[in-house]
Structures are given as structure tokens and as C-alpha cells.
Coordinates of all heavy atoms in Angstrom, one line a residue:
T451 N 2.6 3.0 1.0 CA 2.1 1.7 0.9 C 3.1 0.7 1.4 O 2.8 -0.2 2.2 CB 1.7 1.5 -0.6 OG1 0.7 2.4 -0.9 CG2 1.1 0.1 -0.7
E452 N 4.3 0.7 0.8 CA 5.2 -0.4 1.2 C 5.7 -0.3 2.6 O 6.0 -1.4 3.2 CB 6.5 -0.3 0.3 CG 7.3 1.0 0.4 CD 6.8 2.2 -0.3 OE1 5.8 2.1 -1.0 OE2 7.5 3.2 -0.3
D453 N 5.6 0.8 3.3 CA 5.9 0.9 4.7 C 4.9 0.1 5.5 O 5.3 -0.6 6.5 CB 5.9 2.3 5.2 CG 7.0 3.1 4.6 OD1 8.0 2.5 4.2 OD2 6.9 4.3 4.5
Y454 N 3.7 0.1 5.1 CA 2.7 -0.7 5.9 C 3.0 -2.2 5.8 O 2.8 -2.9 6.8 CB 1.3 -0.5 5.3 CG 0.2 -1.4 5.9 CD1 -0.2 -1.1 7.2 CD2 -0.3 -2.4 5.2 CE1 -1.2 -1.9 7.7 CE2 -1.3 -3.2 5.8 CZ -1.7 -3.0 7.0 OH -2.7 -3.8 7.6
F455 N 3.6 -2.7 4.8 CA 4.0 -4.1 4.6 C 5.4 -4.4 5.0 O 6.0 -5.3 4.6 CB 3.7 -4.5 3.1 CG 2.3 -4.4 2.7 CD1 1.9 -3.4 1.9 CD2 1.4 -5.3 3.1 CE1 0.6 -3.3 1.5 CE2 0.1 -5.2 2.7 CZ -0.3 -4.2 1.9
D456 N 6.0 -3.5 5.9 CA 7.3 -3.7 6.4 C 8.4 -3.7 5.4 O 9.4 -4.5 5.5 CB 7.4 -4.9 7.3 CG 6.6 -4.8 8.6 OD1 6.4 -3.6 9.0 OD2 6.3 -5.8 9.2
S457 N 8.2 -2.9 4.4 CA 9.2 -2.8 3.3 C 9.6 -1.3 3.2 O 9.2 -0.5 4.1 CB 8.7 -3.3 2.0 OG 9.8 -3.3 1.0
G458 N 10.2 -0.9 2.2 CA 10.5 0.5 2.0 C 11.0 0.7 0.6 O 11.4 -0.2 -0.2
W459 N 11.1 2.0 0.1 CA 11.6 2.4 -1.2 C 11.0 1.6 -2.3 O 11.7 0.9 -3.1 CB 13.1 2.3 -1.2 CG 13.7 3.2 -0.2 CD1 14.2 2.9 1.0 CD2 13.8 4.7 -0.3 NE1 14.7 4.0 1.7 CE2 14.4 5.1 0.9 CE3 13.4 5.6 -1.2 CZ2 14.6 6.5 1.1 CZ3 13.6 6.9 -1.0 CH2 14.2 7.3 0.2
Y460 N 9.6 1.5 -2.3 CA 8.9 0.9 -3.4 C 9.2 -0.6 -3.6 O 9.3 -1.0 -4.7 CB 9.2 1.7 -4.7 CG 9.1 3.2 -4.5 CD1 10.2 4.0 -4.5 CD2 7.8 3.8 -4.4 CE1 10.1 5.3 -4.3 CE2 7.7 5.1 -4.2 CZ 8.9 5.9 -4.1 OH 8.8 7.2 -3.9
F461 N 9.4 -1.3 -2.6 CA 9.7 -2.7 -2.6 C 11.0 -3.0 -3.5 O 11.1 -4.0 -4.1 CB 8.5 -3.5 -3.2 CG 7.3 -3.5 -2.4 CD1 6.1 -2.9 -2.9 CD2 7.3 -4.0 -1.1 CE1 4.9 -2.9 -2.1 CE2 6.1 -4.0 -0.3 CZ 4.9 -3.4 -0.9
N462 N 11.9 -2.2 -3.4 CA 13.1 -2.3 -4.3 C 14.0 -3.5 -3.9 O 14.8 -3.9 -4.7 CB 14.0 -1.0 -4.3 CG 14.6 -0.8 -2.9 OD1 14.3 -1.4 -2.0 ND2 15.6 0.1 -2.9
A463 N 13.8 -4.2 -2.8 CA 14.6 -5.4 -2.5 C 13.9 -6.6 -3.0 O 14.5 -7.7 -2.9 CB 14.7 -5.5 -0.9
G464 N 12.8 -6.5 -3.6 CA 12.1 -7.7 -4.2 C 11.2 -8.4 -3.2 O 10.9 -7.9 -2.2
K465 N 10.9 -9.6 -3.6 CA 9.9 -10.4 -2.8 C 10.6 -10.8 -1.5 O 11.8 -11.1 -1.4 CB 9.5 -11.6 -3.6 CG 8.7 -11.3 -4.8 CD 8.1 -12.5 -5.5 CE 9.1 -13.2 -6.3 NZ 8.6 -14.4 -7.0
F466 N 9.7 -10.9 -0.5 CA 10.2 -11.4 0.8 C 9.0 -12.0 1.6 O 7.9 -11.6 1.3 CB 10.9 -10.3 1.6 CG 9.9 -9.2 2.0 CD1 9.3 -9.1 3.3 CD2 9.6 -8.1 1.1 CE1 8.5 -8.1 3.6 CE2 8.8 -7.1 1.5 CZ 8.2 -7.1 2.8
Q467 N 9.3 -12.8 2.6 CA 8.3 -13.4 3.5 C 8.9 -13.3 4.9 O 10.0 -13.8 5.2 CB 8.0 -14.9 3.1 CG 7.3 -15.1 1.8 CD 8.2 -15.1 0.6 OE1 9.3 -15.6 0.7 NE2 7.8 -14.5 -0.5
M468 N 8.1 -12.8 5.8 CA 8.4 -12.7 7.2 C 7.1 -13.2 7.9 O 6.1 -13.3 7.3 CB 8.7 -11.3 7.6 CG 10.0 -10.8 6.9 SD 10.6 -9.2 7.5 CE 9.2 -8.1 7.4
P469 N 7.2 -13.4 9.2 CA 6.0 -13.9 10.0 C 4.8 -13.0 9.9 O 3.7 -13.5 9.9 CB 6.6 -14.0 11.4 CG 8.0 -14.3 11.3 CD 8.4 -13.4 10.1
V470 N 5.0 -11.7 9.9 CA 3.9 -10.8 10.0 C 3.6 -10.0 8.7 O 2.6 -9.4 8.5 CB 3.9 -9.8 11.1 CG1 3.9 -10.5 12.4 CG2 5.1 -8.9 11.0
A471 N 4.5 -10.0 7.7 CA 4.4 -9.2 6.5 C 5.3 -9.8 5.4 O 6.3 -10.5 5.7 CB 4.7 -7.8 6.7
G472 N 4.9 -9.6 4.2 CA 5.7 -10.0 3.1 C 5.2 -9.5 1.7 O 4.0 -9.0 1.6
L473 N 6.0 -9.6 0.7 CA 5.7 -9.3 -0.7 C 5.8 -10.6 -1.5 O 6.9 -11.1 -1.6 CB 6.6 -8.2 -1.2 CG 6.4 -7.8 -2.6 CD1 5.1 -7.0 -2.8 CD2 7.6 -7.0 -3.1
T474 N 4.7 -11.1 -2.0 CA 4.7 -12.4 -2.6 C 4.7 -12.3 -4.1 O 5.0 -13.3 -4.8 CB 3.5 -13.2 -2.2 OG1 2.3 -12.5 -2.5 CG2 3.5 -13.5 -0.7
H475 N 4.4 -11.2 -4.7 CA 4.4 -11.0 -6.1 C 4.8 -9.6 -6.5 O 4.3 -8.6 -5.9 CB 3.1 -11.3 -6.7 CG 2.9 -11.0 -8.2 ND1 3.4 -11.7 -9.2 CD2 2.3 -9.9 -8.7 CE1 3.1 -11.1 -10.3 NE2 2.4 -10.0 -10.1
L476 N 5.7 -9.4 -7.4 CA 6.0 -8.1 -7.9 C 6.4 -8.2 -9.4 O 7.3 -8.9 -9.7 CB 7.2 -7.5 -7.1 CG 7.7 -6.1 -7.5 CD1 6.6 -5.0 -7.4 CD2 8.9 -5.7 -6.7
E477 N 5.7 -7.5 -10.3 CA 6.0 -7.6 -11.7 C 5.7 -6.2 -12.3 O 4.7 -5.6 -12.1 CB 5.1 -8.6 -12.3 CG 5.3 -8.8 -13.8 CD 4.5 -9.9 -14.4 OE1 4.4 -11.0 -13.7 OE2 3.9 -9.7 -15.4
A478 N 6.7 -5.8 -13.1 CA 6.6 -4.5 -13.8 C 6.7 -4.7 -15.3 O 7.7 -5.3 -15.8 CB 7.6 -3.5 -13.4
K479 N 5.7 -4.4 -16.1 CA 5.7 -4.5 -17.5 C 5.2 -3.2 -18.1 O 4.1 -2.7 -17.7 CB 4.7 -5.6 -18.0 CG 5.2 -7.0 -17.7 CD 4.3 -8.0 -18.3 CE 4.8 -9.4 -18.1 NZ 3.9 -10.4 -18.6
D480 N 6.0 -2.6 -19.0 CA 5.7 -1.3 -19.5 C 5.5 -0.3 -18.4 O 6.4 -0.2 -17.6 CB 4.5 -1.3 -20.4 CG 4.7 -2.3 -21.6 OD1 5.8 -2.3 -22.2 OD2 3.7 -3.0 -22.0
K481 N 4.4 0.3 -18.3 CA 4.2 1.3 -17.2 C 3.2 0.7 -16.1 O 2.8 1.4 -15.2 CB 3.6 2.6 -17.7 CG 4.6 3.3 -18.6 CD 4.0 4.6 -19.0 CE 5.0 5.4 -19.8 NZ 4.5 6.7 -20.2
N482 N 2.9 -0.6 -16.2 CA 2.0 -1.3 -15.3 C 2.8 -2.1 -14.2 O 3.7 -2.8 -14.6 CB 1.1 -2.2 -16.0 CG 0.1 -1.4 -16.9 OD1 -0.4 -0.4 -16.6 ND2 0.0 -1.9 -18.1
V483 N 2.4 -1.9 -13.0 CA 3.1 -2.7 -11.9 C 2.0 -3.4 -11.2 O 1.0 -2.9 -10.8 CB 3.8 -1.8 -11.0 CG1 4.4 -2.6 -9.8 CG2 4.9 -1.0 -11.6
T484 N 2.2 -4.7 -11.0 CA 1.3 -5.5 -10.2 C 2.1 -6.1 -9.0 O 3.2 -6.5 -9.2 CB 0.6 -6.7 -11.0 OG1 1.6 -7.5 -11.5 CG2 -0.2 -6.1 -12.1
W485 N 1.4 -6.2 -7.9 CA 2.1 -6.7 -6.7 C 1.0 -7.3 -5.8 O -0.1 -6.9 -5.8 CB 3.0 -5.7 -6.1 CG 2.3 -4.4 -5.6 CD1 2.1 -3.3 -6.4 CD2 1.7 -4.1 -4.4 NE1 1.4 -2.3 -5.7 CE2 1.2 -2.8 -4.4 CE3 1.6 -4.8 -3.2 CZ2 0.6 -2.2 -3.3 CZ3 1.0 -4.2 -2.1 CH2 0.5 -2.9 -2.2
S486 N 1.5 -8.1 -4.9 CA 0.7 -8.7 -3.9 C 1.5 -8.8 -2.6 O 2.6 -9.3 -2.6 CB 0.2 -10.1 -4.3 OG -0.5 -10.8 -3.3
A487 N 0.9 -8.3 -1.5 CA 1.6 -8.3 -0.2 C 0.6 -8.7 0.9 O -0.6 -8.6 0.7 CB 2.2 -6.9 0.0
Y488 N 1.1 -9.0 2.0 CA 0.2 -9.3 3.2 C 0.8 -8.7 4.4 O 1.9 -8.4 4.5 CB 0.1 -10.9 3.4 CG 1.4 -11.6 3.7 CD1 1.8 -11.7 5.0 CD2 2.3 -12.0 2.7 CE1 3.0 -12.4 5.3 CE2 3.4 -12.7 3.0 CZ 3.8 -12.8 4.3 OH 4.9 -13.5 4.6
R489 N -0.1 -8.5 5.4 CA 0.2 -8.0 6.7 C -0.7 -8.6 7.7 O -1.9 -8.5 7.6 CB 0.1 -6.5 6.7 CG 0.2 -5.8 8.0 CD 1.6 -5.9 8.6 NE 1.7 -5.5 10.0 CZ 2.2 -4.4 10.4 NH1 2.7 -3.5 9.5 NH2 2.3 -4.1 11.6
F490 N -0.2 -9.3 8.7 CA -1.0 -9.8 9.8 C -0.8 -9.0 11.0 O 0.2 -8.4 11.2 CB -0.5 -11.3 10.1 CG -0.7 -12.2 9.0 CD1 0.4 -12.9 8.4 CD2 -1.9 -12.6 8.6 CE1 0.2 -13.8 7.4 CE2 -2.1 -13.5 7.6 CZ -1.0 -14.1 7.0
H491 N -1.9 -8.9 11.8 CA -1.9 -8.0 13.0 C -2.1 -8.8 14.2 O -2.8 -8.4 15.1 CB -3.0 -7.0 12.8 CG -2.7 -5.9 11.8 ND1 -1.9 -4.8 12.2 CD2 -3.0 -5.8 10.5 CE1 -1.8 -4.0 11.1 NE2 -2.4 -4.6 10.1
E492 N -1.4 -9.9 14.3 CA -1.4 -10.7 15.6 C -0.7 -10.0 16.7 O -1.2 -10.1 17.9 CB -0.9 -12.1 15.3 CG -1.7 -12.9 14.4 CD -1.1 -14.3 14.1 OE1 0.2 -14.5 14.3 OE2 -1.8 -15.2 13.8
M493 N 0.4 -9.4 16.5 CA 1.2 -8.8 17.5 C 0.7 -7.3 17.8 O 0.9 -6.8 18.9 CB 2.7 -8.7 17.1 CG 3.3 -10.0 16.7 SD 3.4 -11.1 18.1 CE 4.9 -10.5 18.8
D494 N 0.0 -6.7 16.9 CA -0.6 -5.4 17.0 C -2.0 -5.4 16.5 O -2.2 -4.8 15.4 CB 0.3 -4.3 16.4 CG 0.5 -4.6 14.9 OD1 0.2 -5.7 14.4 OD2 1.0 -3.7 14.2
P495 N -2.9 -6.0 17.2 CA -4.3 -6.2 16.6 C -5.0 -4.8 16.4 O -4.8 -3.9 17.1 CB -5.0 -7.0 17.7 CG -4.3 -6.8 18.9 CD -2.8 -6.5 18.5
L496 N -5.8 -4.8 15.3 CA -6.7 -3.7 15.0 C -8.1 -4.1 15.6 O -8.8 -5.0 15.1 CB -6.8 -3.5 13.5 CG -5.5 -3.3 12.8 CD1 -5.8 -3.3 11.3 CD2 -4.9 -1.9 13.2
L497 N -8.4 -3.4 16.7 CA -9.7 -3.8 17.4 C -10.8 -3.0 16.9 O -10.7 -1.7 16.7 CB -9.5 -3.5 18.9 CG -8.3 -4.3 19.5 CD1 -8.1 -3.8 21.0 CD2 -8.4 -5.8 19.4
F498 N -11.9 -3.6 16.7 CA -13.2 -3.0 16.2 C -14.3 -3.8 16.7 O -14.2 -5.0 16.9 CB -13.2 -2.6 14.7 CG -13.0 -3.9 13.9 CD1 -14.1 -4.5 13.4 CD2 -11.8 -4.3 13.5 CE1 -14.0 -5.7 12.6 CE2 -11.6 -5.4 12.7 CZ -12.8 -6.1 12.3
S499 N -15.5 -3.2 16.8 CA -16.7 -3.9 17.3 C -17.9 -3.7 16.4 O -18.8 -4.5 16.5 CB -17.0 -3.5 18.7 OG -17.3 -2.2 18.8
D500 N -17.9 -2.8 15.5 CA -19.1 -2.5 14.7 C -18.6 -2.2 13.2 O -19.0 -1.1 12.7 CB -19.9 -1.4 15.3 CG -21.2 -1.2 14.6 OD1 -21.7 -2.2 14.0 OD2 -21.8 -0.1 14.6
G501 N -17.8 -3.0 12.7 CA -17.3 -2.7 11.3 C -16.0 -2.0 11.3 O -15.5 -1.6 12.3
M502 N -15.5 -1.9 10.1 CA -14.2 -1.2 9.9 C -14.1 -0.6 8.5 O -14.7 -1.2 7.6 CB -13.1 -2.2 10.1 CG -11.7 -1.7 9.9 SD -10.5 -3.0 10.2 CE -9.2 -2.5 9.0
K503 N -13.4 0.5 8.4 CA -13.3 1.1 7.0 C -11.8 1.3 6.8 O -11.1 1.9 7.6 CB -14.0 2.4 7.0 CG -13.8 3.2 5.7 CD -14.6 4.5 5.7 CE -14.4 5.2 4.4 NZ -15.1 6.5 4.4
L504 N -11.3 0.7 5.7 CA -9.9 0.9 5.3 C -9.8 1.9 4.2 O -10.5 1.8 3.1 CB -9.3 -0.4 4.8 CG -7.9 -0.4 4.3 CD1 -6.9 0.0 5.4 CD2 -7.5 -1.7 3.7
V505 N -9.1 3.0 4.4 CA -9.0 4.1 3.4 C -7.6 4.0 2.9 O -6.6 4.1 3.6 CB -9.3 5.5 4.0 CG1 -9.0 6.5 2.9 CG2 -10.7 5.5 4.5
W506 N -7.4 3.8 1.6 CA -6.1 3.7 0.9 C -5.9 4.9 0.1 O -6.5 5.1 -0.9 CB -6.1 2.4 0.1 CG -4.8 1.9 -0.3 CD1 -4.0 2.4 -1.3 CD2 -4.2 0.8 0.2 NE1 -2.9 1.7 -1.4 CE2 -3.0 0.6 -0.5 CE3 -4.5 -0.1 1.2 CZ2 -2.1 -0.4 -0.2 CZ3 -3.6 -1.1 1.5 CH2 -2.4 -1.2 0.8
R507 N -4.9 5.7 0.4 CA -4.6 6.9 -0.4 C -3.3 6.6 -1.2 O -2.4 6.0 -0.7 CB -4.3 8.1 0.5 CG -5.6 8.4 1.3 CD -5.4 9.6 2.1 NE -5.2 10.8 1.3 CZ -5.2 12.0 1.7 NH1 -5.5 12.3 2.9 NH2 -5.0 13.0 0.8
N508 N -3.3 7.1 -2.4 CA -2.3 6.7 -3.3 C -1.9 7.9 -4.2 O -2.6 8.4 -5.0 CB -2.8 5.6 -4.2 CG -1.7 5.1 -5.2 OD1 -0.5 5.3 -4.9 ND2 -2.1 4.3 -6.1
G509 N -0.7 8.5 -3.9 CA -0.1 9.4 -4.8 C -0.3 10.9 -4.5 O 0.3 11.7 -5.2
D510 N -1.1 11.3 -3.5 CA -1.3 12.7 -3.4 C -0.3 13.2 -2.3 O -0.5 13.1 -1.1 CB -2.7 13.0 -3.0 CG -3.2 12.2 -1.8 OD1 -2.6 11.2 -1.4 OD2 -4.2 12.6 -1.2
M511 N 0.7 13.8 -2.8 CA 1.8 14.4 -1.9 C 1.9 15.9 -2.2 O 1.5 16.4 -3.2 CB 3.1 13.7 -2.1 CG 3.1 12.2 -1.8 SD 2.8 11.8 -0.1 CE 4.3 12.4 0.6
T512 N 2.5 16.6 -1.3 CA 2.7 18.0 -1.5 C 4.1 18.4 -2.1 O 4.4 19.5 -2.3 CB 2.6 18.8 -0.1 OG1 3.6 18.2 0.8 CG2 1.2 18.6 0.5
S513 N 4.9 17.4 -2.4 CA 6.2 17.7 -3.0 C 6.4 16.9 -4.3 O 6.2 15.7 -4.4 CB 7.3 17.2 -2.0 OG 8.6 17.3 -2.7
K514 N 6.7 17.6 -5.3 CA 6.9 17.0 -6.6 C 8.2 16.2 -6.6 O 8.5 15.4 -7.6 CB 6.9 18.0 -7.7 CG 8.0 19.0 -7.7 CD 7.9 19.9 -8.9 CE 9.0 20.9 -8.9 NZ 8.9 21.9 -10.0
Y515 N 9.0 16.3 -5.6 CA 10.3 15.6 -5.6 C 10.2 14.3 -4.8 O 11.2 13.6 -4.6 CB 11.4 16.5 -5.0 CG 11.5 17.7 -5.7 CD1 11.0 18.9 -5.1 CD2 12.1 17.8 -6.9 CE1 11.1 20.1 -5.8 CE2 12.2 19.0 -7.6 CZ 11.7 20.2 -7.1 OH 11.8 21.3 -7.8
S516 N 9.0 13.9 -4.4 CA 8.8 12.7 -3.6 C 8.8 11.4 -4.4 O 8.9 10.3 -3.8 CB 7.5 12.8 -2.8 OG 6.4 12.8 -3.7
G517 N 8.8 11.5 -5.7 CA 8.7 10.2 -6.5 C 7.3 9.7 -6.7 O 7.1 8.7 -7.3
R518 N 6.3 10.5 -6.2 CA 4.9 10.0 -6.4 C 4.4 10.4 -7.8 O 5.0 11.2 -8.4 CB 4.0 10.7 -5.3 CG 4.4 10.4 -3.9 CD 4.2 9.0 -3.5 NE 4.3 8.8 -2.1 CZ 5.3 8.2 -1.5 NH1 6.3 7.7 -2.2 NH2 5.3 8.1 -0.2
K519 N 3.3 9.8 -8.2 CA 2.8 10.0 -9.5 C 2.1 11.4 -9.7 O 1.8 11.8 -10.7 CB 2.0 8.9 -10.0 CG 0.8 8.6 -9.2 CD 0.1 7.4 -9.7 CE -1.1 7.0 -8.9 NZ -1.7 5.9 -9.4
C520 N 1.7 12.0 -8.5 CA 1.1 13.3 -8.6 C 1.3 14.1 -7.3 O 1.7 13.5 -6.3 CB -0.4 13.2 -9.0 SG -1.4 12.4 -7.8
W521 N 0.9 15.3 -7.2 CA 1.1 16.0 -6.0 C 0.0 17.2 -6.0 O -0.5 17.5 -7.1 CB 2.5 16.6 -5.8 CG 2.9 17.6 -6.8 CD1 2.8 18.9 -6.8 CD2 3.6 17.3 -8.1 NE1 3.3 19.5 -7.9 CE2 3.8 18.5 -8.7 CE3 3.9 16.1 -8.7 CZ2 4.4 18.6 -10.0 CZ3 4.5 16.2 -9.9 CH2 4.7 17.4 -10.6
Q522 N -0.2 17.8 -4.9 CA -1.1 18.9 -4.8 C -0.3 20.2 -4.7 O 0.7 20.3 -4.0 CB -2.0 18.8 -3.5 CG -2.9 17.6 -3.6 CD -3.8 17.5 -2.3 OE1 -3.6 18.2 -1.4 NE2 -4.8 16.7 -2.4
V523 N -0.8 21.2 -5.5 CA -0.2 22.5 -5.4 C -0.9 23.3 -4.3 O -1.8 22.8 -3.6 CB -0.2 23.2 -6.7 CG1 0.7 22.5 -7.8 CG2 -1.7 23.3 -7.3
A524 N -0.4 24.5 -4.0 CA -0.9 25.3 -2.9 C -2.4 25.4 -2.8 O -3.0 25.4 -1.7 CB -0.2 26.7 -2.9
D525 N -3.1 25.6 -3.9 CA -4.5 25.8 -3.8 C -5.3 24.5 -3.7 O -6.5 24.5 -3.8 CB -5.0 26.6 -5.0 CG -4.8 25.9 -6.4 OD1 -4.2 24.8 -6.4 OD2 -5.1 26.5 -7.4
G526 N -4.6 23.4 -3.6 CA -5.3 22.1 -3.4 C -5.6 21.3 -4.6 O -6.1 20.2 -4.6
K527 N -5.3 21.9 -5.8 CA -5.6 21.2 -7.1 C -4.4 20.2 -7.3 O -3.3 20.4 -6.9 CB -5.6 22.2 -8.2 CG -6.8 23.1 -8.1 CD -6.9 24.1 -9.3 CE -8.0 25.0 -9.1 NZ -8.0 26.1 -10.2
I528 N -4.8 19.1 -8.0 CA -3.8 18.1 -8.4 C -3.0 18.6 -9.5 O -3.5 19.1 -10.5 CB -4.5 16.8 -8.8 CG1 -5.3 16.2 -7.6 CG2 -3.5 15.8 -9.3 CD1 -4.5 15.8 -6.4
A529 N -1.6 18.5 -9.4 CA -0.7 18.9 -10.5 C -0.2 17.7 -11.2 O -0.2 16.6 -10.6 CB 0.5 19.7 -9.9
G530 N 0.2 17.8 -12.4 CA 0.6 16.6 -13.2 C -0.5 15.9 -13.8 O -1.6 16.4 -13.9
H531 N -0.3 14.6 -14.2 CA -1.2 13.8 -14.9 C -1.3 12.5 -14.2 O -0.7 11.5 -14.8 CB -0.9 13.7 -16.4 CG -0.8 15.0 -17.0 ND1 -1.9 15.7 -17.4 CD2 0.2 15.8 -17.4 CE1 -1.6 16.9 -17.9 NE2 -0.2 17.0 -18.0
P532 N -1.9 12.3 -13.1 CA -2.0 11.0 -12.4 C -2.7 10.0 -13.2 O -3.7 10.3 -13.9 CB -2.7 11.3 -11.1 CG -3.5 12.5 -11.4 CD -2.7 13.3 -12.4
T533 N -2.2 8.8 -13.2 CA -2.8 7.7 -13.9 C -3.8 7.0 -12.9 O -3.7 7.1 -11.7 CB -1.8 6.7 -14.4 OG1 -1.0 6.2 -13.3 CG2 -0.9 7.3 -15.4
A534 N -4.7 6.2 -13.5 CA -5.7 5.5 -12.6 C -5.0 4.4 -11.9 O -4.1 3.7 -12.5 CB -6.8 5.0 -13.5
S535 N -5.4 4.1 -10.7 CA -4.9 3.0 -9.9 C -6.0 2.0 -9.7 O -7.2 2.5 -9.4 CB -4.4 3.5 -8.6 OG -3.2 4.3 -8.7
I536 N -5.8 0.8 -9.9 CA -6.8 -0.3 -9.6 C -6.3 -1.0 -8.4 O -5.2 -1.6 -8.4 CB -7.0 -1.2 -10.8 CG1 -7.4 -0.4 -12.0 CG2 -7.9 -2.3 -10.5 CD1 -7.4 -1.2 -13.3
L537 N -7.1 -1.1 -7.4 CA -6.7 -1.7 -6.1 C -7.7 -2.8 -5.8 O -8.9 -2.5 -5.7 CB -6.6 -0.7 -5.0 CG -6.3 -1.2 -3.6 CD1 -4.9 -1.8 -3.6 CD2 -6.5 -0.2 -2.6
T538 N -7.3 -4.0 -5.5 CA -8.2 -5.0 -5.0 C -7.6 -5.5 -3.7 O -6.4 -5.8 -3.6 CB -8.2 -6.2 -6.0 OG1 -8.6 -5.8 -7.3 CG2 -9.2 -7.3 -5.5
S539 N -8.4 -5.5 -2.7 CA -7.9 -5.9 -1.3 C -8.9 -6.9 -0.7 O -10.0 -7.0 -1.0 CB -7.8 -4.7 -0.4 OG -9.0 -4.2 -0.1
Y540 N -8.3 -7.8 0.1 CA -9.0 -8.8 0.8 C -8.7 -8.7 2.3 O -7.6 -8.4 2.6 CB -8.7 -10.2 0.3 CG -8.9 -10.4 -1.2 CD1 -7.9 -10.1 -2.1 CD2 -10.2 -10.7 -1.7 CE1 -8.2 -10.3 -3.5 CE2 -10.4 -10.8 -3.0 CZ -9.4 -10.6 -3.9 OH -9.6 -10.8 -5.3
A541 N -9.6 -9.0 3.1 CA -9.4 -9.0 4.5 C -9.9 -10.3 5.1 O -11.0 -10.8 4.8 CB -10.1 -7.8 5.2
W542 N -9.1 -10.9 6.0 CA -9.5 -12.1 6.8 C -9.7 -11.6 8.2 O -8.7 -11.1 8.8 CB -8.5 -13.2 6.7 CG -8.4 -13.8 5.3 CD1 -9.2 -14.9 4.9 CD2 -7.6 -13.4 4.2 NE1 -8.8 -15.1 3.6 CE2 -7.9 -14.2 3.1 CE3 -6.7 -12.3 4.0 CZ2 -7.3 -14.1 1.9 CZ3 -6.2 -12.2 2.8 CH2 -6.5 -13.1 1.7
V543 N -10.8 -11.8 8.8 CA -11.1 -11.4 10.1 C -11.4 -12.6 11.0 O -12.1 -13.5 10.5 CB -12.2 -10.4 10.2 CG1 -12.5 -10.0 11.6 CG2 -12.0 -9.2 9.4
Y544 N -10.7 -12.7 12.1 CA -11.0 -13.9 13.0 C -11.2 -13.4 14.4 O -10.7 -12.3 14.8 CB -9.9 -14.9 12.9 CG -8.5 -14.4 13.1 CD1 -8.0 -14.4 14.4 CD2 -7.7 -14.0 12.1 CE1 -6.7 -14.0 14.6 CE2 -6.4 -13.5 12.3 CZ -5.9 -13.5 13.6 OH -4.7 -13.0 13.8
V545 N -12.0 -14.1 15.1 CA -12.3 -13.8 16.5 C -11.7 -14.9 17.4 O -11.8 -16.1 17.1 CB -13.8 -13.7 16.7 CG1 -14.2 -13.4 18.1 CG2 -14.4 -12.7 15.7
W546 N -11.1 -14.4 18.5 CA -10.7 -15.4 19.4 C -11.3 -15.2 20.8 O -11.9 -14.2 21.1 CB -9.3 -15.7 19.5 CG -8.1 -14.8 19.6 CD1 -7.0 -15.0 20.2 CD2 -7.9 -13.5 18.9 NE1 -6.1 -14.1 20.0 CE2 -6.6 -13.1 19.2 CE3 -8.6 -12.7 18.1 CZ2 -6.0 -11.9 18.8 CZ3 -8.1 -11.5 17.6 CH2 -6.8 -11.2 17.9

């Protein structure tokens, strides 16, 4: 997730603003983390003509050492006890 927003390592450097990406809010209380980030695609546009689908995957990795909240074992079942994630996203589309 953080790589998409031009950050890395779970936004460990804190909030930042750049011309095409940034992290505007980051707060951790107890086991809950809320954050807000943006990414503009002016330099690398995402072209589509009949709609678009954004798929956001969160936490399913094949290595338990990756720092993710869950992972898949060899038979494809989820190992561990993943918590629910709530994701709200907004998209601004403009045509030129």
C-alpha cells in the first residue's frame, strides 16, 4: 500500500507532501491505525474508456516474516487471525 503512495516501510517517516503523492494523516491508537494519502497520475496517466475497477488487497502474503497481519499457507488457507480492514477511497477523474 505505502509503495503506491511513494513511501515505504509502513509510512515510518511520517506525513509528507510531494507534487504527485503524499501522506496527509497518520494516527495510531491502540491497535487501530487511520491514515489518509493521495496519488495523482498526471505524469503516468491511467487510461480507460469504459469504467475502471480498483482492487485493493491487504495482508495476504506467503511469508509469515513479512510483517503482514496474515499469510497463506501451502494449501491456500489463511493462517493466523487477520483483523477486519475498513477502507474508504475516493477518486477524482478529469478529462482533458
Side-chain angles (χ1 to χ4, degrees):
T451 302
E452 65 277 3
D453 292 335
Y454 175 73
F455 298 105
D456 290 338
S457 184
W459 298 103
Y460 314 104
F461 296 119
N462 68 346
K465 296 188 283 185
F466 66 95
Q467 291 84 35
M468 296 188 306
V470 297
L473 178 68
T474 59
H475 169 78
L476 179 62
E477 184 176 314
K479 287 185 178 179
D480 300 322
K481 293 184 178 183
N482 296 315
V483 177
T484 60
W485 56 273
S486 178
Y488 63 91
R489 170 69 190 255
F490 296 116
H491 286 277
E492 292 178 337
M493 306 292 279
D494 57 345
L496 301 173
L497 304 175
F498 57 92
S499 61
D500 189 26
M502 180 180 147
K503 180 180 180 182
L504 175 65
V505 177
W506 198 283
R507 297 183 66 164
N508 186 14
D510 53 344
M511 299 295 289
T512 57
S513 171
K514 66 181 180 179
Y515 305 106
S516 66
R518 303 290 193 254
K519 61 184 175 177
C520 65
W521 63 91
Q522 293 181 351
V523 292
D525 61 1
K527 294 180 182 175
I528 299 294
H531 303 284
T533 57
S535 295
I536 299 171
L537 175 69
T538 304
S539 67
Y540 301 94
W542 290 269
V543 179
Y544 54 91
V545 179
W546 45 147

